[in-house]
Amino acid sequence: MADNNLNIRGSMVALITPMFPDGAIDWLTFRELINWHIEEGTDALVITGSTGETPTIALEDHIELIRVAVDIATDRIPIIGGTGANSTSEAIELTHAARDAGVDACLSVVPYYNRPTQMGIYEHFRAVAECCELPMIVYDVPSRTNARMSVDTIVSLAQLDNVIGLKDATGDIARVNELLHKVPPSFSLYSGDDATAAAFILMGGHGNISVTANILPRLMHELCALALRGEVALVQLLSQRLASLNQALFIESNPIPIKWAMVRMGIIHEGLRLPLTQLSPEYVKVVESAMIEAGIPLSNNSAGVKSGFRPYGV
């Protein structure tokens, strides 16, 4: 049974991987973003998740992104390395590499494309969990994997020694109560859906692995902290401020909108890797208006070219 000594709570940023227009990784900006999130109060960083475009990143760069994040963080913030794959052997290899890099935990997604049975999902995660002593958060995101974990599967996984939590990106906050009654007290439940994250935490969840926090780290930290304290009125107020933005950032496949927003703020270059493409023109005003409504300062650089990292407070 997992003993969650990490006790990670609050806002965890699913960090983008900054790139140049040709798709090369912008390592300098990657380092700047990590320092910025630490300064803004982010509670943990998730590196090389789906928001980080890992399906298009070579294995050696995947591992290097994790290693650099650990090195820059210097124990100032927990680093969670995304080590999921639809091949169990590859997931094990990545998890070993993340452990060797010094991460605090790993995030492992339900195998995608294969469409495994519930037994297959359980055996996949069991094999990864048993490969090395590294705390593991399992990740349920059926919109991407086309395979949803059942409550029974989650409960079974929660009995494994180093499976310490669940990232739930289903948007189904109703199952929080059911899970809380069935999993060990040390097992953590994290939302993976910004639009319902505050309600998820108010229902008893422990935090949010957030896309929106890429551009509003301090505000997302405050929202999660308020929800953990049960301050409903203030949670409602901040949630209303973020409602349009949380919707707009998923108007096309993640991380297309969030990267466009960060370019619009002037903090990253305009870089994505195919098959992802830039935000469709018909959605530009939608995302921009949602950013303005949330109080995000926009760059005057209409060309969208990074001219220097400019962290800000909101």
Side-chain angles (χ1 to χ4, degrees), residues 4-13 43-44 46 78 80 104-107 135-141 149 154 163-173 175-176 179-180 183 185-194 196-201 204-210 224 228:
N4 188 356
N5 294 319
L6 290 175
N7 197 34
I8 301 174
R9 300 288 183 264
S11 175
M12 291 149 276
V13 178
D43 297 291
V46 178
I80 301 168
D104 297 278
C106 69
L107 177 70
M136 183 168 75
I137 301 165
V138 295
Y139 179 16
D140 192 15
V141 56
M149 277 196 285
I154 296 166
V163 177
I164 65 166
L166 167 74
K167 177 184 177 183
D168 187 335
T170 65
D172 179 9
I173 60 173
R175 73 174 181 174
V176 176
L179 285 168
L180 285 172
V183 297
S186 60
F187 190 80
S188 297
L189 300 176
Y190 303 119
S191 172
D193 177 58
D194 280 306
T196 59
F200 184 100
I201 297 171
H206 303 99
N208 180 30
I209 298 178
S210 172
C224 291
L228 285 166

Side-chain angles (χ1 to χ4, degrees), residues 15-259:
L15 193 67
I16 62 111
T17 300
M19 298 173 182
F20 293 105
D22 65 358
I25 295 172
D26 181 354
W27 293 99
L28 175 60
T29 299
F30 181 68
R31 290 173 169 86
E32 291 173 334
L33 286 172
I34 291 169
N35 283 320
W36 179 50
H37 281 292
I38 294 170
E39 292 165 3
E40 291 292 297
T42 292
D43 297 291
L45 284 169
V46 178
I47 311 297
T48 60
S50 51
T51 307
E53 296 177 72
T54 48
T56 65
I57 291 176
L59 181 65
E60 57 270 23
D61 282 338
H62 186 138
I63 295 169
E64 183 67 3
L65 284 163
I66 293 172
R67 189 199 65 76
V68 169
V70 171
D71 183 58
I72 296 298
T74 57
D75 295 324
R76 293 177 293 164
I77 188 173
I79 298 294
I80 301 168
T83 62
N86 64 341
S87 161
T88 305
S89 60
E90 183 180 342
I92 288 173
E93 181 181 0
L94 284 168
T95 304
H96 275 296
R99 178 202 59 190
D100 294 344
V103 297
D104 297 278
C106 69
L107 177 70
S108 195
V109 69
V110 168
Y112 41 88
Y113 187 78
N114 311 62
R115 300 184 66 189
T117 64
Q118 293 299 309
M119 179 58 71
I121 292 171
Y122 173 82
E123 291 296 339
H124 168 84
F125 283 132
R126 183 185 64 80
V128 176
E130 291 178 353
C131 80
C132 60
E133 294 182 359
L134 181 66
M136 183 168 75
I137 301 165
V138 295
Y139 179 16
D140 192 15
V141 56
S143 64
R144 286 185 179 267
T145 65
N146 202 27
R148 175 171 172 159
M149 277 196 285
S150 69
V151 168
D152 287 344
T153 299
I154 296 166
V155 171
S156 295
L157 287 167
Q159 311 308 312
L160 299 177
D161 285 342
N162 54 323
V163 177
I164 65 166
L166 167 74
K167 177 184 177 183
D168 187 335
T170 65
D172 179 9
I173 60 173
R175 73 174 181 174
V176 176
N177 270 338
E178 185 177 3
L179 285 168
L180 285 172
H181 284 92
K182 294 181 177 180
V183 297
S186 60
F187 190 80
S188 297
L189 300 176
Y190 303 119
S191 172
D193 177 58
D194 280 306
T196 59
F200 184 100
I201 297 171
L202 287 171
M203 291 280 288
H206 303 99
N208 180 30
I209 298 178
S210 172
V211 173
T212 302
N214 276 282
I215 53 177
L216 284 174
R218 185 176 301 171
L219 189 61
M220 188 58 70
H221 164 78
E222 291 173 357
L223 176 62
C224 291
L226 289 168
L228 285 166
R229 294 197 299 267
E231 299 189 32
V232 176
L234 289 174
V235 167
Q236 289 175 333
L237 188 64
L238 286 185
S239 295
Q240 289 166 9
R241 177 178 169 183
L242 292 173
S244 295
L245 183 64
N246 286 333
Q247 295 294 331
L249 292 180
F250 290 90
I251 201 166
E252 285 191 316
S253 297
N254 179 51
I256 291 173
I258 189 64
K259 278 196 147 183

Side-chain angles (χ1 to χ4, degrees), residues 258-271 299 304-305:
I258 189 64
K259 278 196 147 183
W260 184 91
M262 295 176 78
V263 171
R264 187 67 182 85
M265 292 163 62
I267 59 175
I268 65 169
H269 291 281
E270 191 176 74
S299 170
V305 177

